[in-house]
Amino acid sequence: MPVYKAPARDTRFVLNEVLKLEQYAHLPTFANAGPEMVDTIVEECGKFASEVLAPLNQSGDQQGCVRNPDGSVTTPDGFKEAFAKYRESGWGTLASPEEWGGQGLPHVLGFVVEEFVATANHAFGMYPGLTNGAVSAILAKASPELQQKYLPKMVTNEWLGTMNLTEPHCGTDLGLIRTRAVPNADGSYAITGTKIFISAGEHDLTENIIHLVLAKTPGAPESSKGISLFIVPKVMVNDDGSLGARNAVSCGSLEHKMGIHGNATCVMNYDGATGFIVGEENKGLAAMFIMMNAARLGVGIQGLAQAEVAYQNAVKYAQERRQGRALTGPAEPQEKADTLFVHPDVRRMLMDAKAFTEAMRAFYLWGGLLVDLSHKAATEEDRALADDMISLLTPVLKGYGTDKGFDTCVNMQQVFGGHGYIEEWGMSQFVRDARIAQIYEGANGVQAMDLVGRKLALNGGRAVQAFFAEVDAACTAAKADPALASLAAGVEKANGELKAATMWFMANGMTNPNNVGAGAHHYMHIMGIVALGFMWLKMGTAASAALAAGAEDKAFYEAKLTTARYYGERFTPDAGALRRKIETGSNSVMALPVEAFATA
Amino acid sequence: MPVYKAPARDTRFVLNEVLKLEQYAHLPTFANAGPEMVDTIVEECGKFASEVLAPLNQSGDQQGCVRNPDGSVTTPDGFKEAFAKYRESGWGTLASPEEWGGQGLPHVLGFVVEEFVATANHAFGMYPGLTNGAVSAILAKASPELQQKYLPKMVTNEWLGTMNLTEPHCGTDLGLIRTRAVPNADGSYAITGTKIFISAGEHDLTENIIHLVLAKTPGAPESSKGISLFIVPKVMVNDDGSLGARNAVSCGSLEHKMGIHGNATCVMNYDGATGFIVGEENKGLAAMFIMMNAARLGVGIQGLAQAEVAYQNAVKYAQERRQGRALTGPAEPQEKADTLFVHPDVRRMLMDAKAFTEAMRAFYLWGGLLVDLSHKAATEEDRALADDMISLLTPVLKGYGTDKGFDTCVNMQQVFGGHGYIEEWGMSQFVRDARIAQIYEGANGVQAMDLVGRKLALNGGRAVQAFFAEVDAACTAAKADPALASLAAGVEKANGELKAATMWFMANGMTNPNNVGAGAHHYMHIMGIVALGFMWLKMGTAASAALAAGAEDKAFYEAKLTTARYYGERFTPDAGALRRKIETGSNSVMALPVEAFATA
């Protein structure tokens, strides 16, 4: 069975030594977020993830979920008990507001929990996974009555939340949705329609499930400007908080998927179900975007998660499996063969994974910190700066993080040779599970369009200019450190390619927006390469400082510097190739008529 | 259900207009390989593949194979009947020698059948898939008696062949095998041991299965110099050709795999089974390599196959699914949304697939032609030239072809958004099935080492120099054609990167062979990029000529020129980035101690 151990040392390093959470102790929610709290979370949540959740990952995949004849759904063996422990331990409530029963810690610490849980068991993590986002949307937009009724039990995970957008004929293009919401006399609405791909739409983990549902009221404008958002509880909630009658919403069937078998992906039927509007009519999309942005960051974390566990298992296999001899002569002549570890091509794949996962961890934790600072920083200017940055980087975290995360899983599976293809070893599951993260919460092509079509131009390009400047400053500073000079040169060059691609879009997008669309995905990847390079500069600088200060854990910091150098050598060159592709524009991309795509 | 239509027009184009098979009509086996024969094969085999095999692909995946309590294996519903038709139609015997009951046509035409069959149903194609390779090994190395006994029924696919190399503790490193072969008094051997991952090791398609098995005789040298090859029939064959007693070989279990569920991947137990040596003791690996080279070319074709069918289905979906609007304004204002086809990022993925699959088809067909010419060309020099080239290119066809083939499947799945993740649509299966091709018959890292460690240096680098020269000549010629000038420039540049990387290996490999190992995989990819670029030059030249000659099918040739240009713009830039990575050497790849790979 595959193994998983939470990356405690690495997480501590990023939080305490790179991001230095202590420096924010004066800000709301940060007072208790110092090294001691980090230690506690890393140790305890790490233990919970590897001891309770990881052992259910493979069995959950093999067993899957079952829809019973009455429409109820049974989750895989052990999920219910594991969830009860998760709830009792309060892992889902770390960053929720204290006034609603949460622990009032910064989001960046909540993100650590998301990583550990998703890495140990992706399918399990999806049950509570959307609830915090639903809470944020309700907090921001719902009436005080609705907040009072739903938040306390959602915050404590007594009830879980879901997100209902997709319908059979529409996913990305929400303007097309057909689910109707007809006002009732009492101010509620009757919701009728079919939603598909609803993660955790039905299950046996909680007594109630709170669905957040997009629907159209009578006479609403066509297009996405006519969408409203509703709370539709699975079981009606009485005014005293007790549960009432069953609402007219049910799971019609479960999807048969490539992976995440342990999660119930439901077709949800709304048959005049009672719903309560969140905010105003026709303004539902804005509320849903609060939830969606949280979800996208969570998916970026999932991109790291499967890569991390696949990497850990590949490292173990490469140490145990003996096959062939080192090119430089037998490393262990007393054995019949050397381990896979001696082979440079195996080591290349492991180093790629190491360089990606460690930087991706720093990247999402920085993202979590930015979420906190966008709300809690001391000045309006600092809050705006943080908000700019996380808005810009959300599609990169999601899109680049999951693309690279998937590729990393595939490479780690490759380390196993034929055994990687056999389900028993677990590597296939990591690949199959990781694949969904490139697709859901906005397929990565949609993320790329969000980045180039919306985020680049935000406030006159303020965010991306700030990003360029931060990266350049880090490059300039790092060049003085011989251990980081080559990385700094590589990242600076990649940042230059990113700037050039941005300029090219500005010069060529107005005349033909397809020139931007045809380069969007590559652009997102260049920004990912630069962002992770920026993380390596930050981590490398912290490692150099620790070594200079005579840190005890010398090998740890030296490995950081070597991996940083590897990143500069092996990741940054792609930025130039991607820019060259972007600059060929959209002509040959769009030139052919539909008929030309038939091969027969 | 997914669709498949054999790429008849494209195959005809490559065989008749690009490779111009007619020009070889004076050579043995080629006399009947003109456009008429091509038409017949393309039409009839295409029909068979799409009408008989494709409909069994998804059901075969869902149903899988069953090992019965007596050790027999039942293939999915319909496979047995489909195989009977395959055999009756003689699809497996096209390129087999007439003296043994084959049709005596060139291998390049047999390769067409391999493509169509693998594309329609990868798992099915694996049953007969290794038989022709086994036939080649037996033809080359076995005694006349063994040939007489086994070849007639293998050539006609009355019996099928398998390849038994891997054991639980050894895959790539065959020197470690433990299966023993003890001489019997009658000249046969008693074979004892366990082989794993044996494709089609047991099934119900034929009365007999002929296993080719690697084993060690008593006192044989350790290492791969002590390996012998044996024929081990499932059922003993009497001297009159009738079947005798059951041999002591059986299927111990079936593997649970990520994909190719329709194929029985067996653990095979040899319990003193009777085997017959092929060639001399301790010289088994050379004989097995004849089989393995054929198998590797077949796997390269599989790399194209799943990409092709995934592409065909993505094209269909992109035409039918309506979502969002063109960036340049509604393409079909009367509809509520435009099709996916209008979106540049979707089109980018489809163009990537089109540019890859069409060039990969030309590449493997050129490879098939080289196999023929290596045996049948008129002069010793021509045969040596062809042999050089196919030896050099086999790892590239296998390694680059399957890497890009898998990536293409993943991208085509992405076109489907959420539906791509649902098994019902079939895209997941294409991805899962394609994945094995990167792993089996020598994982792609092994292909890369074969390329840089063995093939580059062959005859003092004669092959790779010839390749460079052929590509350069094609670039020079194409530059004069305005429609191909930008492609020619891109390929020439990529070829320059390939030459530079080759020089870098020569300069830095002697002092430290890890410098070559750490760049091998990237090198294989550069050569793949150049090879497919070379194919686009050849195809583009043929298309230009056809247009200049006033060909009727103008749209077809114009699409070739547009796709050729796309290839130059979007594929060739990666060569430079890969070269830059190679030239960073092995230092940071190999620097870290094993302990540094732990994250916890």
Side-chain angles (χ1 to χ4, degrees):
Chain A
M1 201 167 68
V3 296
Y4 172 59
K5 200 151 181 258
R9 178 69 185 93
D10 209 50
T11 307
R12 275 199 210 98
F13 169 67
V14 175
L15 292 175
N16 299 333
E17 302 176 59
V18 180
L19 300 177
K20 300 184 179 116
L21 289 196
E22 272 191 303
Q23 68 183 302
Y24 304 104
H26 59 290
L27 299 178
T29 76
F30 278 91
N32 299 319
E36 276 176 43
M37 179 60 80
V38 168
D39 276 355
T40 307
I41 291 171
V42 159
E43 291 303 327
E44 294 304 317
C45 186
K47 213 172 131 181
F48 172 75
S50 46
E51 293 179 7
V52 178
L53 299 183
L56 300 176
N57 192 43
Q58 193 168 30
S59 57
D61 178 63
Q62 286 162 1
Q63 196 182 356
C65 294
V66 176
R67 180 184 174 278
N68 305 302
D70 66 354
S72 67
V73 167
T74 307
T75 55
D77 290 347
F79 273 44
K80 197 170 173 169
E81 295 74 16
F83 181 73
K85 281 186 201 160
Y86 173 91
R87 181 155 56 80
E88 283 156 25
S89 315
W91 292 124
T93 72
L94 277 193
S96 301
E98 286 177 285
E99 60 268 41
W100 296 105
Q103 298 178 56
L105 285 165
H107 284 93
V108 61
L109 296 182
F111 277 28
V112 173
V113 173
E114 287 197 41
E115 183 201 324
F116 292 2
V117 170
T119 315
N121 197 321
H122 183 148
F124 176 91
M126 291 172 66
Y127 287 105
L130 293 172
T131 302
N132 283 336
V135 164
S136 300
I138 292 172
L139 262 175
K141 300 286 181 182
S143 69
E145 294 73 28
L146 285 175
Q147 293 183 346
Q148 201 59 54
K149 205 162 198 173
Y150 292 98
L151 285 182
K153 300 213 169 168
M154 291 180 77
V155 162
T156 55
N157 290 338
E158 198 168 325
W159 302 339
L160 294 176
T162 73
M163 184 165 153
N164 290 239
L165 285 72
T166 306
E167 300 182 5
H169 63 290
C170 84
T172 302
D173 189 352
L174 291 170
L176 301 175
I177 67 170
R178 292 182 191 146
T179 297
R180 284 167 299 123
V182 180
N184 294 326
D186 66 356
S188 69
Y189 291 75
I191 313 285
T192 303
T194 299
K195 296 286 182 179
I196 64 169
F197 302 160
I198 307 308
S199 300
E202 178 60 56
H203 56 74
D204 53 5
L205 304 184
T206 55
E207 277 188 310
N208 205 359
I209 301 172
I210 310 306
H211 303 293
L212 270 75
V213 183
L214 292 184
K216 293 200 161 194
T217 52
E222 302 248 345
S223 92
S224 60
K225 292 193 177 77
I227 299 176
S228 305
L229 178 66
F230 300 88
I231 286 177
V232 183
K234 171 181 165 182
V235 185
M236 299 302 292
V237 181
N238 297 324
D239 285 342
D240 65 356
S242 65
L243 292 180
R246 185 63 203 268
N247 202 355
V249 48
S250 62
C251 166
S253 63
L254 297 180
E255 303 285 1
H256 297 100
K257 310 179 300 281
M258 185 177 183
I260 50 168
H261 295 158
N263 196 271
T265 304
C266 302
V267 174
M268 296 302 294
N269 296 323
Y270 292 85
D271 300 312
T274 303
F276 306 96
I277 195 158
V278 177
E280 295 172 51
E281 279 193 11
N282 301 335
K283 301 252 167 99
L285 215 50
M288 190 51 106
F289 256 104
I290 295 171
M291 185 165 182
M292 209 154 15
N293 279 329
R296 286 175 175 181
L297 293 171
V299 175
I301 295 172
Q302 290 171 348
L304 163 62
Q306 296 310 297
E308 169 70 27
V309 68
Y311 166 69
Q312 289 190 17
N313 284 280
V315 167
K316 183 164 175 278
Y317 189 79
Q319 287 179 50
E320 290 168 0
R321 175 84 168 175
R322 292 185 177 277
Q323 208 76 184
R325 288 295 186 188
L327 295 172
T328 47
E332 295 174 273
Q334 74 284 7
E335 301 281 350
K336 287 204 171 172
D338 292 333
T339 65
L340 293 186
F341 236 87
V342 305
H343 301 302
D345 190 58
V346 170
R347 197 69 85 89
R348 168 188 67 82
M349 293 191 277
L350 294 176
M351 284 298 297
D352 270 357
K354 185 174 173 62
F356 166 68
T357 52
E358 294 179 14
M360 187 67 199
R361 178 167 300 115
F363 189 26
Y364 92 74
L365 288 171
W366 179 41
L369 177 60
L370 288 170
V371 170
D372 288 311
L373 295 178
S374 73
H375 294 113
K376 312 288 185 192
T379 67
E380 174 64 35
E381 196 193 335
D382 284 353
R383 289 193 293 275
L385 244 167
D387 192 57
D388 271 5
M389 198 62 87
I390 190 60
S391 298
L392 176 74
L393 295 176
T394 294
V396 183
L397 266 157
K398 197 281 185 185
Y400 183 73
T402 60
D403 278 352
K404 275 305 275 189
F406 176 75
D407 288 348
T408 302
C409 289
V410 170
N411 275 337
M412 295 303 92
Q413 183 187 30
Q414 192 74 13
V415 170
F416 281 70
H419 297 278
Y421 201 67
I422 308 299
E423 289 293 344
E424 183 188 348
W425 288 86
M427 303 307 285
S428 164
Q429 186 189 351
F430 300 143
V431 171
R432 291 185 290 100
D433 286 359
R435 184 71 184 87
I436 190 58
Q438 298 173 283
I439 297 173
Y440 65 10
E441 304 308 343
N444 285 355
V446 175
Q447 302 299 326
M449 285 309 295
D450 178 48
L451 175 62
V452 300
R454 201 174 305 153
K455 301 301 175 61
L456 281 190
L458 224 56
N459 300 316
R462 198 172 66 183
V464 75
Q465 295 299 339
F467 179 77
F468 292 152
E470 273 211 54
V471 174
D472 277 336
C475 291
T476 306
K479 274 185 193 166
D481 183 343
L484 294 173
S486 77
L487 169 67
V491 177
E492 193 172 49
K493 191 156 191 286
N495 200 31
E497 310 287 7
L498 185 63
K499 290 178 199 167
T502 313
M503 293 298 290
W504 192 90
F505 281 158
M506 285 168 58
N508 297 279
M510 292 290 274
T511 48
N512 183 358
N514 283 339
N515 282 328
V516 178
H521 195 271
H522 294 326
Y523 185 90
M524 179 173 76
H525 273 239
I526 305 181
M527 193 174 270
I529 290 166
V530 173
L532 294 199
F534 181 40
M535 294 300 105
W536 273 117
L537 287 170
K538 281 173 172 280
M539 293 193 288
T541 304
S544 266
L547 286 168
E552 268 180 36
D553 198 359
K554 221 177 136 195
F556 176 84
Y557 298 109
E558 282 169 349
K560 287 285 174 212
L561 292 174
T562 300
T563 313
R565 180 156 55 86
Y566 181 90
Y567 186 90
E569 292 173 356
R570 297 269 176 161
F571 280 64
T572 61
D574 289 325
L578 291 166
R579 173 197 161 185
R580 281 182 59 201
K581 294 181 195 183
I582 289 170
E583 292 182 356
T584 63
S586 61
N587 185 296
S588 69
V589 178
M590 305 300 287
L592 290 179
V594 168
E595 308 78 61
F597 287 83
T599 52
Chain B
M1 200 168 68
V3 295
Y4 172 57
K5 199 149 182 261
R9 177 70 184 94
D10 210 49
T11 307
R12 274 198 209 99
F13 170 67
V14 175
L15 292 175
N16 299 332
E17 302 175 59
V18 180
L19 299 177
K20 300 184 178 115
L21 289 196
E22 272 190 303
Q23 69 184 300
Y24 304 105
H26 59 291
L27 298 179
T29 76
F30 278 91
N32 299 319
E36 276 177 44
M37 178 61 79
V38 169
D39 276 355
T40 307
I41 292 171
V42 159
E43 291 304 327
E44 293 304 318
C45 186
K47 212 171 133 184
F48 172 75
S50 47
E51 293 180 6
V52 178
L53 299 183
L56 300 176
N57 191 43
Q58 193 168 31
S59 57
D61 178 64
Q62 286 163 2
Q63 196 182 0
C65 295
V66 175
R67 180 185 173 278
N68 305 302
D70 66 355
S72 67
V73 168
T74 306
T75 56
D77 291 346
F79 272 44
K80 199 169 171 168
E81 295 74 16
F83 180 74
K85 280 186 200 158
Y86 173 92
R87 181 155 56 81
E88 282 156 25
S89 315
W91 292 123
T93 72
L94 279 193
S96 300
E98 286 179 284
E99 60 267 42
W100 297 104
Q103 299 178 56
L105 285 164
H107 284 92
V108 62
L109 297 182
F111 277 28
V112 173
V113 173
E114 285 197 42
E115 184 202 325
F116 292 1
V117 170
T119 314
N121 197 321
H122 183 147
F124 176 91
M126 291 172 67
Y127 287 106
L130 293 172
T131 303
N132 283 337
V135 165
S136 300
I138 292 171
L139 262 176
K141 300 286 181 181
S143 68
E145 293 73 29
L146 286 174
Q147 294 183 346
Q148 200 59 52
K149 204 162 198 171
Y150 292 98
L151 285 182
K153 299 212 169 168
M154 292 181 76
V155 162
T156 55
N157 289 336
E158 198 168 324
W159 302 340
L160 293 175
T162 74
M163 185 164 151
N164 289 239
L165 286 71
T166 306
E167 299 182 6
H169 64 291
C170 84
T172 302
D173 189 351
L174 292 170
L176 300 175
I177 67 170
R178 291 183 193 147
T179 297
R180 284 167 299 122
V182 179
N184 295 325
D186 64 357
S188 69
Y189 291 76
I191 313 284
T192 303
T194 300
K195 296 287 182 178
I196 64 170
F197 302 160
I198 307 308
S199 299
E202 178 61 56
H203 57 73
D204 54 5
L205 304 185
T206 54
E207 277 189 310
N208 205 0
I209 301 172
I210 310 307
H211 304 293
L212 269 75
V213 183
L214 292 185
K216 292 199 162 194
T217 52
E222 302 248 344
S223 92
S224 61
K225 293 196 177 73
I227 299 176
S228 305
L229 178 65
F230 300 88
I231 286 176
V232 184
K234 171 181 166 184
V235 185
M236 300 302 292
V237 181
N238 299 322
D239 285 341
D240 64 358
S242 64
L243 293 180
R246 185 63 202 268
N247 202 354
V249 48
S250 61
C251 166
S253 63
L254 296 181
E255 304 284 1
H256 298 100
K257 310 179 298 282
M258 184 177 185
I260 49 168
H261 294 159
N263 197 271
T265 305
C266 302
V267 174
M268 297 301 294
N269 296 323
Y270 293 84
D271 300 313
T274 304
F276 306 96
I277 194 159
V278 177
E280 295 172 51
E281 278 193 12
N282 302 333
K283 301 251 168 98
L285 215 52
M288 190 52 106
F289 256 103
I290 294 171
M291 183 164 182
M292 208 154 15
N293 279 328
R296 286 175 175 180
L297 293 172
V299 175
I301 295 172
Q302 290 170 349
L304 162 62
Q306 296 310 297
E308 169 70 27
V309 68
Y311 166 70
Q312 289 190 16
N313 283 279
V315 167
K316 183 164 175 279
Y317 189 79
Q319 288 179 49
E320 290 168 0
R321 176 83 169 175
R322 293 186 177 276
Q323 209 75 187
R325 287 295 186 190
L327 294 172
T328 47
E332 295 175 273
Q334 74 284 11
E335 301 281 351
K336 287 205 170 171
D338 292 333
T339 65
L340 293 186
F341 237 87
V342 304
H343 300 303
D345 191 57
V346 171
R347 199 70 85 88
R348 169 189 67 83
M349 293 192 278
L350 295 177
M351 284 300 296
D352 271 357
K354 185 174 172 63
F356 166 68
T357 52
E358 294 179 12
M360 188 66 199
R361 178 167 301 114
F363 189 26
Y364 91 73
L365 288 172
W366 178 42
L369 177 60
L370 288 170
V371 170
D372 288 310
L373 295 178
S374 74
H375 294 112
K376 313 287 186 191
T379 67
E380 173 65 35
E381 196 194 336
D382 284 353
R383 288 193 294 274
L385 244 169
D387 191 57
D388 271 4
M389 198 62 87
I390 190 59
S391 298
L392 176 75
L393 294 176
T394 294
V396 183
L397 266 157
K398 197 280 185 187
Y400 182 74
T402 60
D403 278 352
K404 274 306 274 189
F406 176 75
D407 289 349
T408 302
C409 289
V410 170
N411 275 337
M412 295 303 92
Q413 183 187 30
Q414 192 74 14
V415 170
F416 281 70
H419 297 278
Y421 201 66
I422 308 300
E423 289 293 345
E424 184 188 349
W425 288 87
M427 302 307 284
S428 163
Q429 185 189 351
F430 300 143
V431 171
R432 292 185 289 100
D433 286 0
R435 184 69 183 91
I436 190 57
Q438 297 173 283
I439 298 172
Y440 64 12
E441 305 308 342
N444 286 354
V446 175
Q447 301 300 328
M449 287 308 296
D450 177 47
L451 175 63
V452 301
R454 201 173 305 154
K455 300 302 176 60
L456 282 189
L458 224 57
N459 300 317
R462 198 173 66 184
V464 76
Q465 294 300 338
F467 178 77
F468 292 153
E470 272 210 54
V471 173
D472 277 336
C475 292
T476 305
K479 274 185 195 166
D481 182 343
L484 294 172
S486 78
L487 169 68
V491 177
E492 193 172 48
K493 192 156 189 287
N495 200 31
E497 310 286 7
L498 185 63
K499 289 178 201 168
T502 313
M503 293 296 290
W504 192 90
F505 280 159
M506 284 168 59
N508 296 278
M510 292 290 273
T511 48
N512 183 358
N514 283 340
N515 282 328
V516 178
H521 195 270
H522 294 326
Y523 185 89
M524 179 173 76
H525 273 238
I526 306 181
M527 193 174 271
I529 291 167
V530 173
L532 294 199
F534 181 40
M535 294 300 104
W536 273 117
L537 287 170
K538 280 173 173 282
M539 291 193 289
T541 304
S544 266
L547 286 168
E552 268 181 35
D553 198 358
K554 220 176 138 197
F556 176 83
Y557 296 109
E558 281 169 351
K560 286 286 173 210
L561 292 175
T562 300
T563 312
R565 180 156 55 87
Y566 181 91
Y567 187 90
E569 291 172 357
R570 297 268 175 162
F571 279 64
T572 61
D574 288 326
L578 292 167
R579 173 196 162 185
R580 280 182 59 201
K581 295 182 194 182
I582 289 170
E583 292 183 356
T584 63
S586 62
N587 186 297
S588 68
V589 178
M590 304 300 287
L592 291 180
V594 168
E595 309 78 62
F597 287 83
T599 52

